[in-house]
Structures are given as C-alpha cells and as structure tokens.
Amino acid sequence: MIPNTNYNQLKDSYLFSEIAKRVAEYSNLNPEKEIIKMGIGDVTLPLCNAVVEAMKHAAEDLGKAETFHGYGPEQGYDFLREKIKDYYAENNVELDLNEIFISDGAKSDLGNILDILGKDNTVLIPDPVYPVYVDTNIMDGRNIIYADANESNGFLPMPDYSIKADIIYICSPNNPTGAVYNKEQLQKWVDYAISNNSLILFDSAYEAFVADKSLPRSIFQIEDAKKCAIEFCSLSKTAGFTGVRCGYTVVPNGLVFSDMKLNKLWLRRQTTKFNGVSYIVQKGAEAVFSEEGRRQIAENIMYYRENANIITNTLSEIGIKFYGGINSPYIWLKCPDNMGSWEFFDKLLYSAGVIGTPGAGFGKNGDKYFRLTAFSSRENTQKAMLKLKNLID
Ligand code: PLP
C-alpha cells in the first residue's frame, strides 16, 4: 500500500496552532490579563429566530410517520434550491434548478470539486488567500502558480495573458484582504478564462457583506461567466451557519470542456460520494431566505458592519493603513513600523492583550500585514480598538 505521497508536500497548517501556542505562553506569564480575540473567522451572534423555529419544526416533522424524511436528493431539496434560484434572480442571474447543488458548506465543495478536474491542470491561486485552495491542490499534486495580490494592485490581481492557467481561483470579497472585484475587473478574468479555455472557481462566501450595489455578489452577474465559472457560496457568515453547516455550489450547464459537461460530472460525483445535507439543516437554510429570515439576518450583518466601522475608524484615527472592512468583514492592515506580521502579533498580544491573525499565514505577500475581523462582539471590538489606540498613540 502506498499512501498519497503528495501529503508530504503540505506545509504544517501551523497558523492557528502557532497562534494558540503563543497565546498559551502569554496566558501562563500573565494569568490575570484579559485576552480579546479579534482574529478568528468564526461568527459570534447566534442563529436568528426564523432559522431556529424552522429547524424545530423540521425536527418535529422527522418524528411523525406522515412527515418523516429519510434520504433526500443528493443535490438538495427543491424547496431550498428554488429559494436560491430566486435569490440569484434578484441580481438578474437566471439559474436552472439543476445548476444548484446544496452542500454542507463551501469548504467541502471547494475541496471536492477537484474530483472532477484533471490532475495535470495548472492552477492559479491568489497570494494571499484562504489557504484551502492551495492545500487541496497540493493533495492532488497539481502544479500551482500564484497571482500576487499586493498594494500596487489594491490586492486585486488581474489576468496576465503570458501565463497559462487552467484553473483559476477567485475569492471576492477576499479572505483575508477584504478586497472586492468590480464588474469590469471580473469581466477581464472571464474574458481571460474563455480565451484560454480555463475554469474559474469563484468563492463568494462573503457576498452578503457587499454593501455597494455596483459591486458584483456573484460571478454570474458577468457576461459569459456561465461558460467558464463555478461558484461556491456559504451560509456560514451570511447567517451564522458555521456550526449548522450549509452552503451551495452553482455548476452551470454551459460548462463544457473536452466535450464533457461539468454539471453532469458533478452530479455523478455527488450522487456517488455524498448523501445530501440533513433535512433539518435545509429547512433552516430555507428560512434564511424567507422574508422574516432576511430581515433578521440583515440586522446581524449590520451589527458586524458596525464592528468593521469601529475598527476602520480607529485605524484611520491612529494612522494605520488598511484595506477592506467596507464590503467585507475583514480588515487587512499594514503592520506599523515595517514590522513583520508575527512580530506585530506578539506586540499586540503582549502590549494590549489583543489577538489578530498574522498575514503570513495566508501567503508570502501577507508577511507585513495583519487580519482583524468584524465578527467579535461589539463590546470586545470597542475594547480592542481602545487598547490598540493606547498602544499606537
Ligand atoms: N471560503 C472562504 C473564503 C472562507 O473564508 C471560508 C471560511 O472561513 C470558507 C470558504 C468555508 O466556509 P464554510 O463554513 O461554508 O465551509
């Protein structure tokens, strides 16, 4: 038996364990000091009432013979797919029901999609970005090239026709930089993909945070994207589903490569390897798209947006350069005094008791940057910003 030796090529996913280690050291030395977490990407607000009630009813359904549900369709129940179809229609994106696949979150499908893509493809991944794209491709042994995201391109790399990439990852709004592509920029990526016969894997996990109506929330708002892109979305940050687990993937019927229809391959993959998301969760997800659910979720997003405002206002006041935080829950700041991201991490921890995420954990271009998130409580956000102000002023 030979294991998948590509796993030897993976770097230890040391970011969060290294953070935990450094925080534990600090706590041991300073047991009485308070620590404020401003780094993790998890949400803090509970599920909204509409979702909780829908899941309670769904649990009761399962307890009665007349409404019991066993195995459901692998690609998701139509009651939820219809709601997602209507949600896209609000942005003038017409989807066929069979293009929508319900998942247990974007991370699973971002990894699983690689099952239907050849291993000889060259993959283009932005740097810095959500580390899952890199690791899942290393596991398959694909050749990876990087698109530098830096201050000179506003952390939004654009296509370079001298580079041939078969699979292109785009994350907008971006984790960790908070940068968001506009329609013209995404059109350039779509044009590049079509002229190179490439596939775009578009991660829209943070689309709900796009406040500026002129910015796209879906790649399918771009002309011809249905010929070259798959979109992954998640209810994790939109509706606090990080623990509930539900997302969706849109695989257009128009994606045909080497005479193979990707929608058909994905359906075949899912019906073979996946038995669907639980009925209770899908009922909760359906409630996210109800009138009441939409209203309640909008309140939660406003709360995080206000947190982001508090962070960006503080950074502006104390003269720290930052990106994101407007159409994104992430604030990407430039470490003061040319510090490296781990150096700044230690300084913020030891001098203010505040934890953020060092940019180096997202790629080499993140080395002098630091990620703060708007997902903390209001109280902690305010406290953390006060401490940061005292530290810098
Ligand atoms: N995509 C991005 C860019 C993310 O930052 C995350 C989570 O942090 C995910 C996907 C994963 O989302 P899910 O919870 O739906 O698996």
Side-chain angles (χ1 to χ4, degrees), residues 101 115-117 251 257 260-272:
F101 295 81
D115 270 10
I116 65 164
L117 307 177
V251 187
F257 293 83
M260 294 175 93
K261 218 173 136 180
L262 294 193
N263 179 283
K264 225 172 133 189
L265 301 191
W266 182 241
L267 179 65
R268 189 72 172 84
R269 190 268 171 214
Q270 290 298 80
T271 50
T272 303

Side-chain angles (χ1 to χ4, degrees), residues 105-108 110 130 133 171 175 203 205-206 234 236-237 245 330:
K107 190 184 198 175
S108 319
L110 281 160
Y130 182 52
Y133 314 151
C171 179
N175 176 12
D203 186 342
Y206 298 97
S234 166
S236 285
K237 310 300 158 66
R245 310 303 306 144
Y330 292 124

Side-chain angles (χ1 to χ4, degrees), residues 285-318:
E286 183 190 23
V288 168
F289 296 96
S290 67
E291 206 174 301
E292 198 195 358
R294 291 278 291 268
R295 197 172 29 76
Q296 293 171 353
I297 279 153
E299 279 171 24
N300 289 0
I301 289 177
M302 274 312 292
Y303 176 93
Y304 293 134
R305 228 174 237 145
E306 186 51 34
N307 281 351
N309 269 339
I310 292 167
I311 298 171
T312 54
N313 286 343
T314 306
L315 295 175
S316 299
E317 247 177 76
I318 59 182

Side-chain angles (χ1 to χ4, degrees), residues 41-42 103-110 129-133 170-176 203-206 232-237 241-243 245-248 330 362 371 375:
D42 204 349
S103 71
D104 62 351
K107 190 184 198 175
S108 319
D109 274 11
L110 281 160
V129 86
Y130 182 52
V132 167
Y133 314 151
I170 298 178
C171 179
S172 177
N174 185 276
N175 176 12
D203 186 342
S204 63
Y206 298 97
F232 302 85
C233 199
S234 166
L235 297 183
S236 285
K237 310 300 158 66
F241 270 50
T242 48
R245 310 303 306 144
C246 195
Y248 46 91
Y330 292 124
F362 301 95
R371 191 190 77 174
F375 290 128

Side-chain angles (χ1 to χ4, degrees), residues 102-126:
I102 307 304
S103 71
D104 62 351
K107 190 184 198 175
S108 319
D109 274 11
L110 281 160
N112 293 337
I113 199 74
L114 298 176
D115 270 10
I116 65 164
L117 307 177
K119 296 197 168 134
D120 291 333
N121 290 303
T122 291
V123 185
L124 181 66
I125 302 181

Side-chain angles (χ1 to χ4, degrees), residues 47-62 67-69 76-84 102-103 235 239 241 244-247 276-290 292-293 297:
L47 293 173
C48 71
N49 193 49
V51 169
V52 173
E53 287 303 314
M55 291 204 290
K56 276 195 211 161
H57 284 134
E60 281 163 13
D61 285 350
L62 297 186
T67 46
F68 171 73
H69 285 73
Y77 285 104
D78 281 357
F79 63 73
L80 177 54
R81 297 162 92 204
E82 291 280 4
K83 288 286 187 318
I84 293 167
I102 307 304
S103 71
L235 297 183
F241 270 50
V244 178
R245 310 303 306 144
C246 195
V277 175
S278 100
Y279 173 74
I280 299 174
V281 166
Q282 291 193 63
K283 274 290 174 186
E286 183 190 23
V288 168
F289 296 96
S290 67
E292 198 195 358
I297 279 153

Side-chain angles (χ1 to χ4, degrees), residues 166-231:
D166 306 304
I167 300 170
I168 300 152
Y169 283 84
I170 298 178
C171 179
S172 177
N174 185 276
N175 176 12
T177 67
V180 187
Y181 281 105
N182 66 29
K183 287 186 182 161
E184 293 70 34
Q185 290 167 323
L186 276 190
Q187 186 70 60
K188 291 200 169 115
W189 276 111
V190 166
D191 293 346
Y192 167 88
I194 288 180
S195 76
N196 276 290
N197 197 31
S198 334
L199 174 70
I200 294 174
L201 300 179
F202 189 80
D203 186 342
S204 63
Y206 298 97
E207 60 86 24
F209 289 86
V210 174
D212 180 341
K213 295 223 177 324
S214 72
L215 293 172
R217 298 170 79 132
S218 160
I219 192 155
F220 301 123
Q221 288 173 262
I222 308 304
E223 203 180 325
D224 285 340
K226 281 173 120 193
K227 296 180 194 157
C228 66
I230 294 177
E231 180 158 297

